[in-house]
Each structure stands twice: as C-alpha cells, then as structure tokens.
Amino acid sequence: MATVLVVEDDPFVRSALIRHLTDAGHAVRSVGTALEALREVAQVGCDLVILDLGLPDLDGSEALKMIRGLTNVPVIISTARDDEAEIVRLLNDGADDYLVKPFSGEHLSARMTAVLRRLGGGGAAPVAQVLRVGGLAIDLQRREAVLDGRALDLTRREFDLLAFLAARPGVVVPRKEILAEVWQQTYGGDQTIDVHLSWLRRKLGETASNPRYLHTVRGVGVRLEAPGGPAEHRT
C-alpha cells in the first residue's frame, strides 16, 4: 500500500478516487490545483501521484515537468485526452503511466501496482502503512491508533480524521478540505468537524485550550503536529 497524492479539480472524480484508494488501504491526500500539488510534493512527499491534466491554474503537462524538477516520485496521468502523440510526449516528459477517463477503480489499482512494482525492481518490500507523529502511531491497514504505547478506542470517523491529518503533519488543513475528503461533502459540516475534533482531543488527553497534537488555526483549519517540536512523518 502507498501514500497517494490525488491531483484532480473535479470534486466528483476526486471523491470517487479518494473513496476507492482509501477502501484499498492507501493513505490519500488530494489537491485541486497544480500549485497545491507542487507544494505537497515538495513539503510533505508521497509514494505516488495521480495527476489530472485539466487543472484550473496550470496544464497538467506543465505540472508534470515541474514535479520532475523536484522528485522522481511515480506519476500516473489521469486524462480525458486520448491523442497518441500527446500520450507519448507525456511519457517522454516523465510520466510513468497514464489512464484515459473514464476508468474503473480496479483498473487504477492494477496500474498503480504495476508502476510501484516496476520502479521497485519487482522485489521491493511493501510500503509500510504506519504513520508516526510524536508519540502517535497510526496503522492504516489494521486501522489501529496508539498514543505513547496506549491503544486508542476510536470510531471509524475519528480514525479517518486522525489518519488524514497525520498524513500531513505540520500542515494547516482547511476545514473545507477536511469535509470533502473525510466526509465526502462539499459544503456545511463545521459543527460536525468540531464535534469529532472534541472527541479526538478527549481521547488524546488534551483540550482545545491546551492542545498537544491537534491545533485549531482560527478561520483557517486544523494542524496536527508532535508536541514540543516540529512534526514527524515516518513510515
């Protein structure tokens, strides 16, 4: 399994990809613009990028070249364009594979497995699925979370929220993005987020007025980081 960055501006396609990848056991982050994708790749990192070409701020082909200037992370192009000359050009520019929309989740999974296997030489060890931030350890496959050696009793949604934030340690995540990716909703829901954050804080042994891991940035979003220092993100 892998940490996957989905770069897709269509909210319906984006939600479908997130849902499929999460159900398959992957840790998923997503953005809707090329500039956000470049920031994520540079500051947070990931194991694989699924890159749409029709982005609002920059064509995906240009974004691909810029990503290649930063990292060799595998990139699978997601496109509605099926022109052979353009596909060849994208592969020559550094794409590892491509999928023409519409495609099934099973097709995507097969292509991802092939790309990761090929780049790993066919015998690479599987990507670990444990996110670590300070004393927090989050096992994505087993859906278990441990704090300082103590297992946390989390609901399904609490685990999803904690894992989503832990995949982006030290980054302030907008509430709108949390709502879209954890709840698959495009509007409303601030009270729902606040309630779940309150429950999570209680189980982490902290409060909103005295946070250790979960920090609310008023008017912006939520940041998870290790107490007493910069955030860690290890697998």
Side-chain angles (χ1 to χ4, degrees), residues 146-159:
V146 174
L147 174 61
D148 299 329
R150 174 177 60 86
L152 298 176
D153 182 17
L154 303 179
T155 66
R156 178 176 179 275
R157 193 70 76 184
E158 289 167 356
F159 181 90

Side-chain angles (χ1 to χ4, degrees), residues 11-26:
F12 297 103
V13 175
R14 187 167 159 180
S15 292
L17 288 172
I18 292 168
R19 190 161 47 248
H20 170 77
L21 293 167
T22 301
D23 289 346
H26 299 292

Side-chain angles (χ1 to χ4, degrees), residues 39-232:
R39 183 196 66 189
E40 286 286 318
V41 168
Q43 297 182 1
V44 183
C46 57
D47 298 316
L48 186 141
V49 176
I50 299 172
L51 177 64
D52 177 41
L53 292 185
L55 300 173
D57 59 336
L58 189 67
D59 189 79
S61 60
E62 293 302 314
L64 171 64
K65 294 176 184 178
M66 296 175 74
I67 289 173
R68 277 290 161 261
L70 296 171
T71 177
N72 289 324
V73 64
V75 177
I76 296 178
I77 298 294
S78 168
T79 178
R81 311 171 195 174
D82 59 357
D83 179 72
E84 183 177 353
E86 181 169 16
I87 290 170
V88 170
R89 178 173 59 82
L90 289 165
L91 293 172
N92 287 334
D93 285 344
D96 295 281
D97 205 343
Y98 70 92
L99 284 167
V100 177
K101 298 176 181 177
F103 51 81
S104 68
E106 291 72 19
H107 192 176
L108 172 61
S109 291
R111 292 295 186 96
M112 287 175 54
T113 299
V115 165
L116 293 170
R117 184 194 310 121
R118 182 169 70 247
L119 295 179
V127 178
Q129 297 180 68
V130 178
L131 301 175
R132 299 185 187 276
V133 183
L136 268 174
I138 302 168
D139 190 316
L140 299 175
Q141 184 175 30
R142 295 183 178 181
R143 295 185 63 84
E144 295 174 350
V146 174
L147 174 61
D148 299 329
R150 174 177 60 86
L152 298 176
D153 182 17
L154 303 179
T155 66
R156 178 176 179 275
R157 193 70 76 184
E158 289 167 356
F159 181 90
D160 290 344
L161 176 58
L162 185 64
F164 174 66
L165 294 172
R168 308 179 66 182
V171 176
V172 179
V173 185
R175 287 172 170 269
K176 184 177 180 180
E177 188 172 339
I178 293 173
L179 193 64
E181 301 196 15
V182 179
W183 275 269
Q184 280 83 54
Q185 297 178 16
T186 55
Y187 60 89
D190 272 6
Q191 185 176 6
T192 297
I193 294 174
D194 288 338
V195 168
H196 281 79
L197 284 172
S198 176
W199 291 340
L200 263 181
R201 284 193 174 104
R202 190 178 308 160
K203 293 178 180 181
L204 293 174
E206 61 183 66
T207 63
S209 60
N210 187 25
R212 295 181 65 234
Y213 285 90
L214 292 170
H215 301 263
T216 298
V217 180
R218 189 179 299 275
V220 183
V222 183
R223 179 183 74 249
L224 186 146
E225 67 180 13
E232 304 174 30

